[in-house]
Amino acid sequence: MRSILWDSLNTRYQGATADVQAKVPLLFYLHASLLLFLSVTAVLVIFLTPGASLAVYLSIVLISFVLVCIATRLNLVGRYPLALCLTILIMFVAPWASILYESIAGSGDLMPMIFVIIPIQIAALFLATKAMLMISGIQTVAVIVNVIISGTKSDDNWVSVVCYVFIASLLGSVTSYLIRNQYNTLLASKEALAQNQEKLHNLSIRDALSGVFNRRYMDEMLDLLVQRPKDPFAVLMVDVDRFKSVNDTCGHRVGDAVIQSIAAILTSVTRKNDVVCRYGGDEFLLILMGCSYEAALAKAHEIRRLASGLGCACDDPEAIPITASIGIALFPEHGTDKDSLLHAADSALYQAKEEGRNRVKSS
């Protein structure tokens, strides 16, 4: 049940900021605690509150219970800001409702004023320090005004109560400041860790020279794709013709530049959901999702044309112009597993090489 709930919350708040995503579960736990507290309070009110005050206090508790249920629902459906505002409002209004009732009734009971510090401490978990300072100041002034207007200042304890509320409110603001600083530090560390993990992940699946995916990622992707026979795709194996001659004539540094140029061409002509991998050495493999034979053939000829446009790798008169040979295989026509697909594409590439290079062949 808990796993289902968190999955639902993660889905609802997938596009939210990290701050909101972290506080959504905390608000849910607060709602659960408030509902339990209000349930117990309702029982105590029924059995312990005198008849004259029973209806008032029971109404406050029941209305608060309903509003917390509404706030819980808002949080669960992705309305966190509104849920938080309603929750904070409930926590402040309920104690003040009892304070005003006691003041109007002239009971001289100062105990309800003590409860105004509870929402201050809880709100500190969610609100920024400036908001907490403003709320604390309003609370303290409101308590003093209430004492003066209601006439309860004749009670010797009113100074202690006001001081207690002021200090507790001030501590709530300090708590908010400390929590916010610690939270920001933790959030920054979490974001840095996530970035480092992403970098490490990219290093593990990317080829360092060309920047495209490596063979490990290619193997994983092909294994995954052949398990979904309803999705056809094309495999293009691209090989730079006479690449050894490029290295021998122009040097390995120029050879590396050629590999990078071919990788850039392959990346530029593919779609977002296609996959470009360095198969090894001067060979690349393209996985074209949902691609027909005609579309794959057209794409292969475009790649061959762009590769031929690179010209010679260097100014050496013995340098040979850059060209590429390409073999095409289709899933599931030419193979229903990774090995058979790679073999089919490799055979087509070998045929292109045998027939004179700089051409496209299919299985």
Side-chain angles (χ1 to χ4, degrees):
M1 180 64 183
R2 182 176 182 273
S3 177
I4 295 174
L5 175 63
W6 292 152
D7 289 343
S8 176
L9 288 175
N10 289 333
T11 301
R12 296 287 186 182
Y13 291 95
Q14 190 170 10
T17 63
D19 182 66
V20 170
Q21 289 179 349
K23 289 181 179 178
V24 164
L26 182 60
L27 184 59
F28 175 80
Y29 282 125
L30 173 59
H31 288 155
S33 301
L34 287 175
L35 291 174
L36 178 61
F37 168 76
L38 290 170
S39 299
V40 174
T41 302
V43 174
L44 294 176
V45 166
I46 291 172
F47 287 101
L48 301 179
T49 304
S53 304
L54 176 60
V56 174
Y57 280 107
L58 191 58
S59 298
I60 293 173
V61 172
L62 293 179
I63 292 173
S64 298
F65 188 92
V66 172
L67 292 176
V68 171
C69 289
I70 295 174
T72 304
R73 176 62 180 169
L74 289 171
N75 190 37
L76 292 177
V77 299
R79 304 290 298 276
Y80 169 79
L82 187 57
L84 178 60
C85 291
L86 181 58
T87 304
I88 299 298
L89 183 65
I90 297 165
M91 290 191 300
F92 282 103
V93 169
W96 273 102
S98 62
I99 291 172
L100 294 176
Y101 170 73
E102 294 296 340
S103 298
I104 294 172
S107 65
D109 186 7
L110 297 179
M111 283 304 297
M113 293 187 185
I114 304 299
F115 291 101
V116 299
I117 68 168
I118 297 176
I120 285 288
Q121 302 301 322
I122 296 176
L125 299 173
F126 297 93
L127 302 181
T129 306
K130 288 183 179 179
M132 289 304 306
L133 285 171
M134 182 178 67
I135 293 174
S136 299
I138 294 173
Q139 284 257 100
T140 304
V141 171
V143 168
I144 295 174
V145 170
N146 181 72
V147 169
I148 295 173
I149 293 176
S150 63
T152 52
K153 62 180 181 297
S154 59
D155 193 310
D156 293 336
N157 291 328
W158 78 272
V159 176
S160 299
V161 171
V162 171
C163 290
Y164 180 71
V165 171
F166 173 74
I167 293 173
S169 299
L170 187 61
L171 286 176
S173 301
V174 173
T175 301
S176 173
Y177 174 76
L178 294 176
I179 290 175
R180 179 63 56 175
N181 274 0
Q182 292 296 322
Y183 177 75
N184 288 339
T185 301
L186 181 62
L187 189 61
S189 300
K190 184 179 179 180
E191 290 176 350
L193 179 60
Q195 291 175 356
N196 289 333
Q197 288 178 334
E198 184 177 358
K199 288 179 181 178
L200 289 174
H201 178 67
N202 284 332
L203 288 174
S204 69
I205 63 174
R206 294 280 180 178
D207 175 64
L209 176 61
S210 63
V212 299
F213 293 110
N214 57 23
R215 184 163 181 170
R216 171 190 170 188
Y217 183 83
M218 179 206 76
D219 287 334
E220 293 177 354
M221 182 59 65
L222 283 176
D223 285 334
L224 179 64
L225 289 174
V226 296
Q227 295 173 10
R228 299 180 346 201
K230 64 178 182 179
D231 297 330
F233 60 90
V235 171
L236 273 61
M237 190 170 287
V238 182
D239 181 80
V240 181
D241 296 326
R242 300 185 181 88
F243 184 70
K244 185 177 183 302
S245 298
V246 174
N247 280 331
D248 293 342
T249 304
C250 303
H252 289 280
R253 185 174 179 180
V254 174
D256 289 346
V258 170
I259 293 295
Q260 292 171 337
S261 297
I262 295 295
I265 289 173
L266 299 179
T267 303
S268 68
V269 300
T270 50
R271 300 162 298 176
K272 186 177 181 179
N273 60 333
D274 295 333
V275 180
V276 181
C277 306
R278 188 179 180 190
Y279 189 66
D282 59 324
E283 287 186 333
F284 293 84
L285 191 93
L286 275 68
I287 304 174
L288 306 179
M289 306 298 184
C291 190
S292 65
Y293 171 73
E294 290 76 14
L297 186 63
K299 187 70 65 178
H301 279 296
E302 183 182 6
I303 293 169
R304 185 195 62 78
R305 178 182 61 80
L306 291 172
S308 300
L310 292 175
C312 294
C314 61
D315 296 331
D316 193 307
E318 297 183 4
I320 300 173
I322 301 299
T323 58
S325 298
I326 303 171
I328 303 175
L330 301 176
F331 175 87
E333 289 90 336
H334 300 138
T336 56
D337 60 79
K338 179 183 69 176
D339 292 335
S340 60
L341 273 173
L342 291 177
H343 178 72
D346 189 56
S347 296
L349 176 62
Y350 180 78
Q351 184 181 355
K353 293 280 190 181
E354 284 293 303
E355 293 185 8
R357 300 181 177 87
N358 191 24
R359 62 193 62 217
V360 176
K361 287 293 178 179
S362 60
S363 295

